């Protein structure tokens, strides 16, 4: 039995054009943020290496999105990461955070310029202050796709991110990317975590500005 309606074309009639009012658990993430004390634990030939980093991330509301009867509200984001006191990019990432009110579903998409994409999913209430999303390599819908070299040398089999929106106006994430590294007997947990401090408010989405 499918969870979807027979009518796959008719769009919902109750769309609110103001995305910021309809982001559910993502509302506390909207805006421009900096995280000066990130920590990355990554694989190197000699073993795990810890690296601190500085992060700038913008999360801006997009107009409501529909797939026939399905309705999403969301944030488009760009993350730029450098090592302390350096200019060269350490990590760059773009994607969307999406909220589907009718199913209490959060979706996180990410693309990085090392030829890899991920789409993770989780459930949360509209007023949740903490939620976790997961993507696995073998998932038919919410999964992980990498270019051939990464599949050969650093195969990502699971991605997990836990988000916490705090009462002090900050939000934080804790990521665990599980890798199968060529020549290593055990999976490697590539972890990242940071706390983001707001430095700018979000810009209302185009429909709301009209």
């Amino acid at each position: 039995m499918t969870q979807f309606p027979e009518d796959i074309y008719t769009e919902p009639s109750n769309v609110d054009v103001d995305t910021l009012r309809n982001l559910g658990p993502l509302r506390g993430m909207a805006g421009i943020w900096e995280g000066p004390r990130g920590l990355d634990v990554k694989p190197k030939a000699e073993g795990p290496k810890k690296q601190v980093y500085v992060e700038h991330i913008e999360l801006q509301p997009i107009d409501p999105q529909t797939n026939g009867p399905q309705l999403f509200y969301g944030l488009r984001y760009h993350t730029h990461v450098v090592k302390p006191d350096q200019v060269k990019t350490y990590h760059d990432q773009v994607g969307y955070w999406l909220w589907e009110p009718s199913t209490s579903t959060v979706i996180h998409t990410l693309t990085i310029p090392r030829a890899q994409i991920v789409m993770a999913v989780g459930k949360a209430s509209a007023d949740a202050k903490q939620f976790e999303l997961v993507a696995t390599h073998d998932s038919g819908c919410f999964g992980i796709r990498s270019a051939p070299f990464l599949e050969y040398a650093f195969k990502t089999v699971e991605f997990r991110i836990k988000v916490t929106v705090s009462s002090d106006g900050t939000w934080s994430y804790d990521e665990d990317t599980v890798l199968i590294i060529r020549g290593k007997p055990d999976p490697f947990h590539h972890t990242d975590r940071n706390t983001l401090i707001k430095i700018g408010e979000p810009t209302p989405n185009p429909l709301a500005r009209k």
Side-chain angles (χ1 to χ4, degrees), residues 19-20 23 25-31 33 58-63 65 72-78 94-99 107-109 171 202-203:
T19 294
L20 284 171
L23 286 170
L26 305 178
R27 179 62 184 91
M29 299 165 60
W33 308 80
E58 297 196 19
L59 296 109
Q60 298 288 4
I62 59 173
D63 284 338
Q65 303 292 307
F72 289 113
Y73 294 97
L75 297 167
R76 179 184 62 250
Y77 76 90
H78 177 211
V94 296
Y96 294 92
W97 285 91
L98 302 174
W99 166 242
I107 297 172
H108 174 48
T109 71
W171 69 276
T203 302

Coordinates of all heavy atoms in Angstrom, one line a residue, residues 19-20 23 25-31 33 58-63 65 72-78 94-99 107-109 171 202-203:
T19 N 7.9 31.6 3.8 CA 8.6 30.4 4.2 C 9.1 30.5 5.6 O 9.1 29.5 6.4 CB 9.8 30.2 3.2 OG1 9.3 29.9 1.9 CG2 10.7 29.1 3.7
L20 N 9.6 31.7 6.1 CA 10.1 31.8 7.4 C 9.1 31.4 8.5 O 9.5 31.0 9.6 CB 10.6 33.2 7.7 CG 12.0 33.6 7.0 CD1 12.3 35.1 7.1 CD2 13.1 32.8 7.6
L23 N 8.9 26.9 8.6 CA 10.1 26.1 8.6 C 10.2 25.0 9.6 O 11.1 24.2 9.7 CB 11.4 27.0 8.7 CG 11.7 27.8 7.4 CD1 12.8 28.8 7.7 CD2 12.1 26.9 6.3
P25 N 11.1 22.8 12.5 CA 12.3 22.7 13.3 C 13.5 23.5 12.7 O 14.6 23.6 13.4 CB 12.6 21.2 13.4 CG 12.0 20.7 12.2 CD 10.7 21.5 12.0
L26 N 13.4 23.9 11.4 CA 14.5 24.6 10.8 C 14.5 26.1 11.0 O 15.5 26.8 10.6 CB 14.5 24.3 9.3 CG 14.4 22.9 8.8 CD1 14.3 22.8 7.3 CD2 15.7 22.1 9.2
R27 N 13.5 26.6 11.7 CA 13.3 28.0 11.8 C 14.5 28.6 12.5 O 15.0 29.7 12.2 CB 12.0 28.4 12.6 CG 11.8 29.9 12.8 CD 11.7 30.6 11.5 NE 11.6 32.0 11.7 CZ 12.6 32.9 11.7 NH1 13.9 32.4 11.5 NH2 12.4 34.2 11.8
G28 N 15.0 28.0 13.6 CA 16.2 28.5 14.3 C 17.5 28.5 13.6 O 18.5 29.0 14.1
M29 N 17.5 27.9 12.4 CA 18.8 27.8 11.6 C 18.8 28.9 10.5 O 19.9 29.1 9.9 CB 18.9 26.5 11.0 CG 19.0 25.3 12.0 SD 18.7 23.7 11.2 CE 20.1 23.6 10.0
A30 N 17.7 29.6 10.3 CA 17.7 30.6 9.2 C 18.6 31.8 9.5 O 18.5 32.3 10.7 CB 16.2 31.0 8.9
G31 N 19.4 32.3 8.6 CA 20.2 33.4 8.8 C 21.6 33.2 8.4 O 21.9 32.3 7.6
W33 N 25.6 32.8 9.7 CA 26.2 32.3 10.9 C 27.7 32.2 10.8 O 28.2 32.0 9.6 CB 25.6 31.0 11.3 CG 24.2 30.9 11.3 CD1 23.3 30.8 10.2 CD2 23.3 31.0 12.5 NE1 22.0 30.8 10.7 CE2 22.0 30.9 12.0 CE3 23.6 31.1 13.8 CZ2 20.9 30.9 12.9 CZ3 22.6 31.1 14.7 CH2 21.2 31.0 14.3
E58 N 25.5 30.5 5.3 CA 24.3 31.3 5.0 C 23.2 30.3 4.7 O 23.3 29.5 3.9 CB 24.5 32.3 3.9 CG 25.6 33.3 4.2 CD 25.6 34.5 3.2 OE1 24.5 34.7 2.6 OE2 26.6 35.2 3.1
L59 N 22.1 30.5 5.4 CA 20.9 29.7 5.2 C 19.7 30.7 4.9 O 19.2 31.3 5.8 CB 20.6 28.8 6.4 CG 21.6 27.7 6.7 CD1 22.4 28.1 8.0 CD2 20.9 26.4 6.8
Q60 N 19.3 30.7 3.7 CA 18.3 31.7 3.2 C 17.0 31.0 2.8 O 17.1 29.9 2.1 CB 18.8 32.5 2.1 CG 20.0 33.4 2.5 CD 19.7 34.5 3.4 OE1 18.5 34.7 3.9 NE2 20.7 35.4 3.7
P61 N 15.8 31.5 3.1 CA 14.6 30.8 2.8 C 14.3 30.9 1.3 O 14.6 31.9 0.6 CB 13.5 31.7 3.5 CG 14.2 33.0 3.8 CD 15.6 32.7 3.9
I62 N 13.8 29.8 0.7 CA 13.4 29.7 -0.7 C 11.8 29.7 -0.7 O 11.2 29.5 0.3 CB 13.9 28.4 -1.3 CG1 13.4 27.2 -0.6 CG2 15.4 28.4 -1.4 CD1 13.7 25.8 -1.3
D63 N 11.3 30.0 -1.9 CA 9.8 30.0 -2.0 C 9.3 28.6 -1.8 O 10.1 27.6 -2.0 CB 9.4 30.5 -3.4 CG 9.5 32.0 -3.5 OD1 9.4 32.7 -2.5 OD2 9.6 32.5 -4.7
Q65 N 8.0 24.9 -2.3 CA 8.2 24.0 -3.4 C 7.2 22.9 -3.4 O 6.9 22.3 -2.4 CB 9.6 23.4 -3.4 CG 10.7 24.4 -3.3 CD 10.9 25.2 -4.6 OE1 11.0 24.6 -5.7 NE2 10.8 26.5 -4.5
F72 N 7.0 21.4 0.3 CA 8.2 21.7 1.0 C 8.4 23.1 1.3 O 8.1 24.0 0.4 CB 9.4 21.2 0.3 CG 9.6 19.7 0.2 CD1 9.5 19.1 -1.1 CD2 9.8 18.9 1.3 CE1 9.7 17.7 -1.2 CE2 10.0 17.5 1.2 CZ 9.9 16.9 -0.1
Y73 N 8.8 23.5 2.5 CA 9.4 24.8 2.8 C 10.9 24.5 3.1 O 11.3 23.4 3.6 CB 8.8 25.4 4.1 CG 7.3 25.7 3.8 CD1 6.3 24.9 4.2 CD2 7.0 26.9 3.2 CE1 5.0 25.2 4.0 CE2 5.7 27.3 3.0 CZ 4.7 26.4 3.4 OH 3.3 26.7 3.2
G74 N 11.8 25.5 2.8 CA 13.2 25.2 3.0 C 14.1 26.3 3.0 O 13.8 27.5 2.8
L75 N 15.4 26.0 3.2 CA 16.5 26.9 3.3 C 17.6 26.5 2.3 O 17.9 25.3 2.2 CB 17.1 26.9 4.7 CG 16.2 27.4 5.8 CD1 16.9 27.1 7.2 CD2 16.0 28.9 5.7
R76 N 18.0 27.4 1.5 CA 19.2 27.2 0.6 C 20.4 27.6 1.4 O 20.4 28.7 2.0 CB 19.0 28.0 -0.7 CG 20.2 27.8 -1.7 CD 20.0 28.7 -2.9 NE 20.0 30.2 -2.5 CZ 18.9 30.9 -2.5 NH1 17.8 30.5 -2.9 NH2 19.0 32.2 -2.1
Y77 N 21.5 26.8 1.3 CA 22.6 27.2 2.1 C 23.9 27.0 1.4 O 24.1 26.3 0.4 CB 22.7 26.3 3.4 CG 23.2 24.9 3.2 CD1 24.5 24.5 3.2 CD2 22.3 23.8 2.9 CE1 25.0 23.3 3.0 CE2 22.7 22.6 2.7 CZ 24.1 22.3 2.7 OH 24.5 21.0 2.5
H78 N 24.9 27.8 1.8 CA 26.3 27.7 1.4 C 27.2 27.7 2.6 O 27.1 28.7 3.4 CB 26.7 28.8 0.4 CG 28.1 28.8 0.0 ND1 28.8 30.0 -0.3 CD2 29.0 27.8 -0.2 CE1 30.0 29.6 -0.7 NE2 30.2 28.3 -0.6
V94 N 27.3 23.1 -0.6 CA 26.0 23.8 -0.9 C 24.9 22.8 -0.9 O 25.1 21.6 -1.0 CB 26.0 24.5 -2.3 CG1 27.1 25.6 -2.4 CG2 26.3 23.4 -3.4
G95 N 23.7 23.3 -0.7 CA 22.5 22.3 -0.7 C 21.3 23.0 -0.1 O 21.2 24.2 -0.1
Y96 N 20.4 22.1 0.3 CA 19.1 22.6 0.9 C 18.8 21.8 2.2 O 19.1 20.7 2.3 CB 18.0 22.4 -0.1 CG 18.1 23.2 -1.3 CD1 18.7 22.7 -2.5 CD2 17.5 24.5 -1.4 CE1 18.8 23.4 -3.6 CE2 17.6 25.2 -2.5 CZ 18.2 24.7 -3.7 OH 18.3 25.5 -4.8
W97 N 18.1 22.6 3.1 CA 17.4 22.0 4.2 C 15.9 22.1 3.9 O 15.5 23.2 3.7 CB 17.7 22.7 5.5 CG 19.1 22.4 6.1 CD1 20.3 23.0 5.9 CD2 19.4 21.3 7.0 NE1 21.3 22.5 6.5 CE2 20.8 21.4 7.3 CE3 18.7 20.3 7.6 CZ2 21.5 20.5 8.1 CZ3 19.4 19.4 8.5 CH2 20.7 19.5 8.7
L98 N 15.2 21.0 3.9 CA 13.8 21.0 3.6 C 12.9 20.5 4.7 O 13.3 19.5 5.4 CB 13.6 20.1 2.3 CG 14.3 20.5 1.1 CD1 14.1 19.5 0.0 CD2 13.9 21.9 0.6
W99 N 11.7 21.1 4.8 CA 10.8 20.6 5.8 C 9.4 20.3 5.1 O 8.9 21.2 4.4 CB 10.6 21.8 6.9 CG 9.4 21.6 7.8 CD1 8.3 22.5 7.9 CD2 9.1 20.6 8.8 NE1 7.5 22.1 8.8 CE2 7.9 20.9 9.4 CE3 9.8 19.5 9.2 CZ2 7.4 20.2 10.4 CZ3 9.3 18.7 10.2 CH2 8.1 19.0 10.8
I107 N 14.7 16.9 5.4 CA 15.6 16.4 4.4 C 16.8 17.4 4.3 O 16.6 18.6 4.3 CB 14.9 16.2 3.0 CG1 13.8 15.2 3.1 CG2 15.9 15.9 2.0 CD1 12.9 15.1 1.9
H108 N 18.0 16.8 4.2 CA 19.2 17.6 4.1 C 19.9 17.1 2.9 O 20.3 15.9 2.7 CB 20.1 17.4 5.3 CG 21.4 18.1 5.3 ND1 21.6 19.4 4.9 CD2 22.7 17.6 5.6 CE1 22.9 19.6 5.0 NE2 23.6 18.6 5.4
T109 N 20.2 18.0 1.9 CA 21.0 17.7 0.7 C 22.3 18.4 0.8 O 22.4 19.5 1.2 CB 20.3 18.0 -0.6 OG1 20.3 19.5 -0.8 CG2 18.8 17.5 -0.6
W171 N 23.0 27.4 17.1 CA 22.7 26.1 16.8 C 24.0 25.3 16.5 O 25.0 25.9 16.2 CB 21.7 26.0 15.7 CG 22.2 26.4 14.3 CD1 22.2 27.6 13.8 CD2 22.7 25.5 13.3 NE1 22.7 27.6 12.5 CE2 23.0 26.3 12.2 CE3 22.8 24.1 13.2 CZ2 23.5 25.8 11.0 CZ3 23.3 23.6 12.0 CH2 23.6 24.4 10.9
P202 N 18.1 36.4 8.3 CA 17.7 35.9 6.9 C 17.0 36.9 6.1 O 16.3 37.8 6.7 CB 16.9 34.6 7.2 CG 16.2 34.9 8.5 CD 17.3 35.7 9.3
T203 N 17.1 36.8 4.8 CA 16.3 37.6 3.9 C 15.0 36.9 3.5 O 15.1 35.8 3.1 CB 17.1 37.9 2.6 OG1 18.4 38.5 3.0 CG2 16.4 38.8 1.7

